[in-house]
Structure formats: C-alpha cells, structure tokens
C-alpha cells in the first residue's frame, strides 16, 4: 500500500473512477454540442447566448468545467509522478515535483474560477 | 587467507523441492536457517517436473492403499530399494501431499473436488494383481512448477533467509570427520563466505549434465555429490542412472510419462505399438527402464523412425484436442517449440534420454548421511552434521529404477523428515562441530587452484569431452570392455581438469568461474558412475549389461558403495525389514 | 550471422557497450540461447543466466531485438524477419528498467520485492481437514492462466509504469500473482488483499497498454487479471 496525499482522492480507485466518469461526461457533452451545431446550421449569436444562459445549460457547463478540472488533475498528477521522480532526475525530484504540482493546481483553480465567472457572470 | 564467517543452526544447500521443504520445516520452528541456492529458488530443476507426485491418497480409487504403492516401488527398484525407507515414504506420503494442498498447491481436480490422479508407469492395484492404478496426483502437466512455487511462497511467508545465487563450493569438515558447514561463493560479488552450522543439508539435486543428452537443466551438475565425494563421503548405487523413455529427439527436453498415462503410446517406423511385445500387460506403462530398453531394441533392430532410424514416435493425436489442451497443455507447447510438431495432429519424435540419478549420498530416513565403518562391508556410521535429501540422497527408495512420480514424493517426504529430525536434534542441544583454520583453508584449495591457473585446456572443451565419454561408454546398454575404456578416458580427463585454465578471473557475476567449479563436480560424479557401473557385474533396473544380461541376486542383491578415497567398489546390505508390513521377496520382474 | 550483445563488466567498464560477434549457425533455426552458448564457448566472459533451457524456470529473460522474451524458447526465425537468414543482426540486451549487474544479468531485487508485497501465498485460517480442501473443477479453472507465471520479469520490465515507479507500482507479474490468490476459492484474505491495492500507485498505475500481454512467454494475460482486481475493488467500494 502506497500512501499519497497529493492525488485527487488519495485513493486509486476514486481517482480512476473520477477520471472515467469525467471522461464519459466530457464525451457526451462534446457529442451533444456537435450535434446541436450540425442541426442548427444558421446559428445566430442571440440563440447561442440564450442557450448558454439558460439555467439547465449553466448547470451542465458547470459540471463540464469541474470534469475538465478533475480529469486534468488526475492526468497531470500521473504525469508528474511518472517523470518527475528520483529515478529520472535524482534527489532534487521531490522538490521539483512539489513545485510543479502546486503550480498546476493553482492554474487549474484559476481556470475553474474563470469558467464559473463566465458561466454564471450574467450579461 | 581468512574469510567472513556467518553462523546458523542449519544451512540448506539447494533451493529445489527437497531443500525448500526442509527449510520451511525449520523456518516454521524458528531456528536460524539459511538456504543457499545457486539460482533463484524457483529456477531450480524441480520446476521442470511435469506429470505429478505419486501417492496413495485414495482419490481416483477410494480403496487405494499405500502398501500397493510400496509394492510397486519395491518392484520398480528391482528389489534394491530399502524396504523400511520405501515403507516410510509411501505411508507418510498422503500426509505430506495433503500439507502441500493446504499450502495452496493448485492441483487439478476431480468432479468430487478431490485431487486429480492419473495413471503412471509401474503402478498397480492389489500388489500387482488388480490391474493398472491411477495414483499420480497432478496439477495439469506442471506439477513440479506448482509444487516449487508453492514451497517458495510458504518460505517467503515464514521468512526463510535465502542466499540466492550463492554457489556452495566445498564442505568444511574437521579432523574428527564431522561436518562444520560449507564454503560458498556469492555469484554477484565474488565474495567467499564460510557458512558455519550445526546441520548442513545437501539438497543439491542430480547431475544429469554428466551426459551429453539429458532432460536435466544446465544447472544439474552434481554439486552436492561432488563436494561429498571430495570430502570422502561415499556414493551409493551411483551406477544407476534413469534414462527417461520420452526425451524429445534432438532437443533432450522431457515429455511427461503422463502422456502415456493419459492414453498415448509409442510406435516404431511401421506404426506398430511395439510395447505390446515387450510388456504384454502394462504395455507403455511398464517401468521406465523396461520401456527405455525396448525403445533402444527397436532402434537397434532397424525399426527406428526418421532418415537415420534413430528414434521412435509418441502418438497422442487420438486423445483429441480437448484432452491434450486441458491435461497436457505444457507438452503441447514444448513439442511445438522443440520438435516443431503439434501433438494434436502428429506424433512426437522421442528417444531415451538421461533423466535421474537413483544413486547418491547414502542416507537414512532422517536424511542423515552415512558412511560405512572400517572396511567396505562394515556397519552404517552417521556422519555428524551432514544430511542429504532429494535426488542427491540415496535413502534408498528408488533402488535400481525410480518410478515416475516418486521423485516429487521423495523430495517432500524426506525434505520434511530431515527438517523434523534436525528440529528435534536442535531442541535437544545439537552441538556445533568446530573446524580449525586449516580445515577452512583446505576447503578453499579448489577456489585457489582455479584462481591461480594460468594455462591448460578450456573448461568448455573438457566438459564436452566428459559428457561425450559418459554418453558413449555408460549409456542405456553397457559393456565391460567399453566401460573399462571409459574409465581410462575419465582418469585422463581428471589429470587435464586438474590443470585446466580459468581465463576470466573477475569477481562480479563470473559465470565462467561457476562453470569451472561445476566441472570439478561433474568429473567426480562421472568417475564414480563409471567405476560403479564397471564393478556391478549384473543387469538390474536401469543398469543393463550385454556381458552380464541377467540379474544376479546371489552376488548383487545389495547396494554398491563407491569409496572416493580408494576408488574401490564395496557393498552394503539392502533393508528387507519394513516395520508394519511383510517383506516383499525378490521376484522375476515382468510388466 | 552477426550478433550484437550488450556488454558491461562493472570491474573494467565505465560504461556499457555493444559487442559484435560473427556466429556460424549453419543456417539452423537455433534458439537465441543456443547462439549465446556458441559465443560463450569462445568468449567465456559473456554473462547471462540460464537453467532449464525449456522455458519453465524463467532465468533467461532478456531483450531480443527490442522485445522481451526467454532466450531458450525464442527461435531465430521468430526474432524478426531476416535474422535467421543473416540479413539482419540479432541484438541482445538485458531486460530494461532494472539495474545491470553484468552483461545480460540484471539485479531483480525490485521485481522480487514487489512479488513479496502481494503476500503470494494462500491464506486460510480455518483448521485444515485430514485430507485435502475440496475445490470444484470449475473453481480450480479460475486460477488457470494465473498460477503458471514463472517470474521471468519479461512483463514487468516491458511496462513503462513499472520503469517509472518500480518501487510503488507492483507491476504486472506481482498483480497477476495477487489475482491468482484472490481468484482461489480456498483463499480467505480477499478483504485484506484488496485493502492493499486501492491506493493510486500499487495497481492503478496500470494504463492498460498491454505490453505485458504481448511479451509473456507463457501466454498469460496480466492486464485481464488487473481488470478483474479493479472490478473487485469497485464492487467492494461502490
């Protein structure tokens, strides 16, 4: 049993599940959006705006933002723990990994907040 | 030269089935035990055993009786198996096999959920009167693999201290002839260490590599027997080498007797099932010595297969794809790889191939090594501190010919027995025999010899010559004059090996040094075999002579004892006094 | 034919190097191990492990023209097109990802450590019966394809996840072994075993790329076993 405090759920199964579920959600969202665009060839800004500011769509978009964020974190965390390790870069690895992971978390948080502002910010 | 010393209650040399069964027993009881193995334990040759472990567990036949198994084994041994030892093995066997199952060994199963048993050669019901028995417990055709891995897993569980990839080089004994431990070489680093211990257990396996063509692994170089002989310990019945009927032609790899147990049979170039002529009742499931000889007769009489008529065929396709794939999956793999034949479609080319050393270090049922007191026909004398189990030991349960499936049983029963005995002895205060610095230094002589060599023949050439000599002069059929010539060649080889050259003297993982040290052991076993074979002037079991074609119970219903110090052959009485059953009297052996 | 072999002797070499040998195989479709033996006859310093020479002991796992396999059961004709005919060299390297001791012999300690971590032994605390524990042929069939592992390390050393985290990710061999006991109807430690596997590394570093499956010389499928364990974890936790 390997303990890990930086992974999303501190648990492999929950990380794995989050990654899978978020992937399905993103896929369905992408396909749905694509279908909508194909079915509405002459789409105008007003109709698009109305769609995006409807409450159901705002909720869906929020879910999508959280899905992207968690999916990205699980993936990037894996990448950092694969390549930024002692085997690859010697004793400085832990420090570097911690810094990179912190920066990535902050960046993802920024994106999440930015996304929420866009979705719920009105106008 | 002083070397590091490590001290243990018991040191086991060899990580095959017998060694790991003994170490498990001792590790469970908490004694300080080391297991030295020249390969990682699961790479030991036990892993290659295929067909199964013969034992009267009464699964296939609820009325089966260990006494019937004992009868078969004594008959199979051509009556020079010690009956007290055979009795012990066959009666304790079920307990030892059930223990293995409890440890997790993945045996194949019957519909009732019990261990699956298949017929093997030389097996009968009701003391030979009740027809073919099915007594070999099997895990598909990978029983040895399953057994070895299970034992390794149990040793991991009980924290046995492994010295993997350490080669035991020499026994250390003191002036009183007591064994004090072994010198061993760490293959990875080249460090040499003295393992001092109250009990030294040899579980070093066989030496099939003395022959050019063998089913044995490349590591089977008789290291334990070699060390013992150099230390003056005698070899018993060492002329008795089993040739397995079905080694794959050309490659030497084994296909299990279980093939014939499941219904396969041998055919000659005319497609005739020739074993019907040689053994009308048991046919292809006669004793291995009988089948191997019959095959050689067919080949010598011009009924062999192939362009050179030098092998016969094992027919399996009539069993059907389903049986072959479920019961003999490993065999299908092996014959495709090494014979380029799919047994589902075509018969497999096979030839008798050196397989098993029935002889070895004389030992009692507790694994204690024995020598004979003054003179060659004297009483047994226990060698303090030395034990032998498994193929290197000659207890003797196999006598002149081992039955299929009895080797795995031998391993676990006597590995366990030695463990139990040593456990007991240690509890009662077994003492450590002390060596002098000189004793240790003497044990280092061989290492030094190789390290200081600067010219001479190459190890590879000498090994090949030795193997070819054994193959040509001491094969399935033997002849006095040919053997005398072989003995001379070996004497010449001894001189050249004593002056041979080790070119690579580096320390880290030097396999050239390992092969050089192994060559010394091969030579010891080969010479003992040769002299004993020439000396036994009769035909019995696996030892078959043109010039003495008959069994001679008057002179040779006994063990041969080869004394390495005088190179003379003596005799030792066979035990005919089992404790709970009547003696099985020697009869003419037919199948 | 030309044979190119990875050489490294810690006592004399500062760095590993490739040595080329010209070997006369007589056009025969030898096993790679036979070719190595022919070279060793001439150059006794060449170092590799071998034992059974029939693919059951697992000693001679090595990297042959880029693919892990057992030298003793890999014929030249199966290495790559052109190798048998001598048009292409045979290239032999040690198993990747483990420290090299010398030439083709690697230090397998990390591999064995991971094996030991999964408690590779049957755990059953109920007193054993006087005979064997019964098991139906159907239950026994569930461990087919699992117990046959020979610990040759071809799979784990072909797995990038194992290369990157050999101390944290158990690797395909150990996980296959873990499932061998989870799938055994006689084993009672399911909860304990699963409890040791649900962290982000031990099992979940498997990305299902199936390198392990494509190299296993015994035709086993560790990825499938890992999938089964994942399902068991899911069943337990959801």
């Amino acid at each position: 049993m390997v303990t890990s405090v930086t992974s999303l759920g501190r648990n492999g199964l929950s990380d794995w599940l989050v990654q899978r579920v978020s992937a399905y959600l993103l896929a369905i969202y992408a396909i749905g959006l694509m279908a909508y665009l194909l079915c509405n060839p002459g789409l105008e800004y007003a109709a698009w705006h109305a769609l995006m500011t409807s409450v159901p769509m705002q909720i869906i978009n929020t879910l999508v933002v959280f899905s992207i964020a968690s999916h990205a974190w699980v993936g990037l965390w894996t990448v950092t723990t694969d390549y930024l390790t002692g085997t690859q870069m010697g004793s400085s690895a832990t420090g570097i990994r911690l810094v990179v992971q912190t920066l990535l978390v902050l960046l993802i948080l920024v994106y999440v907040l930015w996304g929420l502002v866009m979705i719920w910010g009105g106008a | 030269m002083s070397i590091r010393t490590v001290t243990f209650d018991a040191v086991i040399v060899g990580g095959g089935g017998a060694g790991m069964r003994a170490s498990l027993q001792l590790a469970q009881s908490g004694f300080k035990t080391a297991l030295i193995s020249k390969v990682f334990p699961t790479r030991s040759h036990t892993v290659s055993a295929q067909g199964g472990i013969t034992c009267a567990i009464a699964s296939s036949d609820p009325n089966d009786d260990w006494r019937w198994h004992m009868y078969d084994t004594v008959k199979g041994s051509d009556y020079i198996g010690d009956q007290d030892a055979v009795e012990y093995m066959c009666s304790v066997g079920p307990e030892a096999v059930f223990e293995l199952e409890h440890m997790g060994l993945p045996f194949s199963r019957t519909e009732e959920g019990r261990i699956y048993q298949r017929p093997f050669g030389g097996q009968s019901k009701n003391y030979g009167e009740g027809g073919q028995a099915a007594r070999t417990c099997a895990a598909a055709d990978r029983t040895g693999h399953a057994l070895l891995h299970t034992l390794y897993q149990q040793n991991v569980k009980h924290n046995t201290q492994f010295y993997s990839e350490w080669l035991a080089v020499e026994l250390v004994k003191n002036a009183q002839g007591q064994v004090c431990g072994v010198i061993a070489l760490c293959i990875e680093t080249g460090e040499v260490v003295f393992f001092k211990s109250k009990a030294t257990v040899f579980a070093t396996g066989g030496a099939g590599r003395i022959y050019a063509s063998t089913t044995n692994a490349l590591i089977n170089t008789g290291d334990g027997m070699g060390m013992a002989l150099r230390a003056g310990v005698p070899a018993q019945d060492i002329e008795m080498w089993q040739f397995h009927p079905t080694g794959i032609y050309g490659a030497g790899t084994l296909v299990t007797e279980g093939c014939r147990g499941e219904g396969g049979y041998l055919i000659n170039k005319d497609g005739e099932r020739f074993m019907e002529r040689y053994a009308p009742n048991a046919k292809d499931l006669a004793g291995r010595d009988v089948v191997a000889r019959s095959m050689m007769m067919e080949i010598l009489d011009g009924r062999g297969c192939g362009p050179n008529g030098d092998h016969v065929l094992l027919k399996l396709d009539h069993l059907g794809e389903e049986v072959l794939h479920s019961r003999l999956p490993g065999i299908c793999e092996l014959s495709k790889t090494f014979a380029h034949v799919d047994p589902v479609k075509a018969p497999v080319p096979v030839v008798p191939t050196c397989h098993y050393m029935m002889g070895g270090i004389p030992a009692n049922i507790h694994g204690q090594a024995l020598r004979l007191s003054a003179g060659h026909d004297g009483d047994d004398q226990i060698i303090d501190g030395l034990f032998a189990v498994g193929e290197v030991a000659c207890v003797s349960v196999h006598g002149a010919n081992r039955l299929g499936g009895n080797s795995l049983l031998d391993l676990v029963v006597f590995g366990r027995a030695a463990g139990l005995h040593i456990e007991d002895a240690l509890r009662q205060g077994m003492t450590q025999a002390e060596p002098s610095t000189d004793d240790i230094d003497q044990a280092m002589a061989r290492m030094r010899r190789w390290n200081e060599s600067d010219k001479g023949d190459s190890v590879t050439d000498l090994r090949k010559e030795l193997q070819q000599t054994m193959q040509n002069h001491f094969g399935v059929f033997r002849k006095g004059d040919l053997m005398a010539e072989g003995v001379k060649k070996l004497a010449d080889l001894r001189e050249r090996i004593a002056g041979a050259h080790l070119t690579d003297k580096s320390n880290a993982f030097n396999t050239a040094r390992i092969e050089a040290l192994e060559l010394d052991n091969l030579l010891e076993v080969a010479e003992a075999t040769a002299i004993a074979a020439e000396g036994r002037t009769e035909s019995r079991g696996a030892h078959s002579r043109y010039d003495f074609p008959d069994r001679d119970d008057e002179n040779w219903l006994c063990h041969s004892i080869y004394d390495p110090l005088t190179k003379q052959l003596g005799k030792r009485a066979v035990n005919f006094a089992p404790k709970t059953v009547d003696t099985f009297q020697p009869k003419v052996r037919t199948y | 034919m030309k044979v190119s072999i990875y050489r490294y002797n810690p006592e004399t070499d500062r760095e590993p190097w490739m040595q080329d040998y010209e070997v006369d195989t007589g056009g025969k479709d030898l096993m790679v191990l036979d070719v190595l033996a022919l070279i060793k006859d001439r150059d006794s310093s060449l170092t590799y492990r071998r034992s059974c020479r029939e693919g059951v002991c697992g000693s001679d796992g090595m990297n042959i023209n880029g693919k892990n396999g057992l030298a003793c059961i890999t014929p030249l004709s199966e290495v790559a097109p052109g190798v048998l005919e001598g048009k292409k060299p045979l290239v032999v390297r040690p198993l990747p990802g483990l420290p090299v001791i010398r030439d083709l012999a690697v230090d397998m300690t990390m591999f064995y450590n991971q094996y030991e971590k999964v408690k590779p032994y049957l755990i059953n605390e109920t007193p054993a019966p006087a005979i064997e524990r019964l098991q139906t042929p159907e239950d026994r069939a569930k461990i087919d394809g699992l117990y046959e592992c020979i610990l040759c390390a071809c799979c784990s050393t072909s797995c990038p996840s194992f290369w990157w985290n050999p101390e944290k990710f158990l690797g395909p061999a150990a996980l296959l072994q873990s499932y061998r006991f989870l799938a055994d109807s006689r084993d009672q430690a399911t909860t304990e075993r699963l409890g040791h596997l649900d962290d982000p590394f031990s099992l979940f570093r498997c990305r299902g790329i199936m390198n392990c499956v494509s190299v296993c010389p015994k035709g086993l499928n560790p990825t499938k076993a890992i999938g089964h364990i994942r399902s068991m974890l899911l069943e337990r936790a959801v």
Side-chain angles (χ1 to χ4, degrees), chain B residues 70-85:
Chain B
M70 178 180 170
Y71 166 82
D72 292 342
T73 304
V74 170
K75 177 184 171 189
S77 79
D78 222 345
Y79 299 96
I80 60 164
D82 287 311
Q83 298 199 8
D84 56 343

Side-chain angles (χ1 to χ4, degrees), chain A residues 1-2 12 16 77 81-82 88, chain C residues 164-165 195 198-200 205 230:
Chain A
M1 179 101 182
V2 181
W16 178 82
W77 181 82
T81 48
D82 266 353
Q88 311 289 323
Chain C
W164 309 147
N165 286 294
D198 65 355
D199 64 86
R205 266 309 150 115
R230 210 187 279 129

Side-chain angles (χ1 to χ4, degrees), chain B residues 10-65:
Chain B
V11 165
I12 287 140
V13 185
M20 287 211 285
R21 187 61 189 83
S23 66
L24 178 60
Q25 199 66 43
L26 290 161
Q28 278 171 337
S29 52
F31 287 106
K32 200 179 166 203
T33 312
L35 187 145
I36 301 175
S37 175
K38 71 173 172 178
V39 291
F40 182 75
T42 65
R43 327 252 183 246
S44 306
H45 189 51
T46 304
V47 82
S48 295
Q50 298 170 350
I53 174 165
T54 303
C55 187
I57 60 160
S59 161
S60 110
D61 171 8
N63 299 317
D64 201 9
D65 191 320

Side-chain angles (χ1 to χ4, degrees), chain B residues 40 42-43 47-48 98 101-115 139-140 142 145 149 152-154 156-157 165 188 209 214-219 251-254 333-334 337-338 460 464 503-504 506-512 515, chain C residues 9-11 31 33 40-41 44-54 56-59 72-73 101-102 105 107-108 112 115-116 120-122 128-138 140 143 147-152 177 180-181 184 186 218:
Chain B
F40 182 75
T42 65
R43 327 252 183 246
V47 82
S48 295
F98 293 141
E101 195 283 332
H102 299 153
M103 290 175 199
L105 201 157
F107 282 112
S108 301
R109 299 288 170 158
T110 63
E111 284 306 319
E112 293 75 39
R114 295 208 59 191
I115 294 172
R142 304 188 179 98
H145 168 276
H149 280 254
Y152 178 66
Q153 292 160 355
Q154 289 298 311
V156 166
K157 183 178 178 184
E165 300 191 328
E188 186 180 334
R209 285 283 152 184
T214 173
T215 64
N216 282 195
L218 292 152
I219 56 169
T253 45
L254 174 72
E333 246 177 71
L334 277 173
T337 309
F338 290 103
T460 311
K464 285 185 178 162
T503 43
D504 181 0
S506 59
N507 288 315
F509 224 103
N510 185 343
T511 48
E515 289 184 9
Chain C
N9 179 346
E11 289 166 66
M31 298 294 172
L33 185 68
K40 193 165 173 68
D41 284 352
S44 67
S45 71
L46 178 66
T47 303
Y48 54 90
R49 295 190 177 97
R50 82 287 180 278
S51 171
C52 75
R53 62 80 176 88
E54 57 187 24
V56 296
C57 80
S59 296
C72 60
I73 52 169
I101 302 174
R102 177 173 174 175
D107 181 352
M108 296 178 70
Y112 296 138
Y115 170 74
E116 288 181 18
Y121 40 81
L122 192 81
I131 59 164
E132 71 269 43
R133 290 196 167 98
L134 301 183
Q135 186 177 42
T136 64
E138 292 73 33
R140 169 60 183 75
I143 51 176
Y147 81 94
E148 299 93 327
C149 171
I150 57 173
L151 299 179
C152 65
Q177 208 58 226
R180 178 247 173 275
F181 289 99
D184 193 324
R186 300 169 295 172
K218 306 308 284 180

